């Protein structure tokens, strides 16, 4: 899915569990998150039972991700 060398560019990865079910909603949330984290690679796996949101970033602090997703009407928590 990603064309960059993951080990070299993305130093931090976080995986979140969401309740996003529609691809259009995932695209909208990804665009909003991209504005906060412009250097991040953001993907969803809506086929997974946990509706996975994966964010890989070179150096951003991702602690605000759940809050940003929740502000848009969806649940989001770090998947342990």
């Amino acid at each position: 899915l990603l064309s960059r060398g993951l080990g070299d560019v993305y130093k931090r990865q976080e995986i979140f569990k969401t309740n996003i079910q529609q691809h259009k909603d995932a695209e909208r949330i990804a665009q909003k998150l991209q504005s906060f984290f412009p250097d991040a690679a953001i993907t969803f796996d809506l086929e997974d039972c946990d509706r996975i949101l994966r964010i890989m970033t070179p150096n951003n602090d991702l602690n605000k991700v759940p809050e940003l997703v929740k502000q848009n009407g969806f649940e989001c928590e770090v998947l342990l």
Side-chain angles (χ1 to χ4, degrees), residues 7-80:
D8 297 333
V9 177
Y10 297 109
K11 303 202 183 322
R12 174 145 188 211
Q13 173 178 290
E14 198 74 69
I15 299 173
F16 301 90
K17 175 181 179 176
T18 75
N19 66 341
I20 298 171
Q21 296 184 28
Q22 303 287 326
H23 287 283
K24 65 181 174 120
D25 293 326
E27 289 175 15
R28 182 171 54 87
I29 296 298
Q31 288 175 351
K32 289 184 181 281
L33 290 171
Q34 199 76 62
S35 70
F36 280 90
F37 308 106
D39 296 329
I42 300 170
T43 60
F44 281 87
D45 181 357
L46 301 182
E47 304 300 318
D48 188 278
C49 65
D50 288 324
R51 309 286 192 239
I52 297 295
L53 162 60
R54 178 178 291 109
I55 302 179
M56 296 171 29
T57 182
N59 54 18
N60 294 96
D61 180 8
L62 299 175
N63 292 332
K64 289 189 63 91
V65 170
E67 176 185 340
L68 294 169
V69 173
K70 289 176 184 179
Q71 287 175 355
N72 287 278
F74 297 98
E75 294 299 315
C76 181
E77 63 187 60
V78 174
L79 190 61
L80 302 175

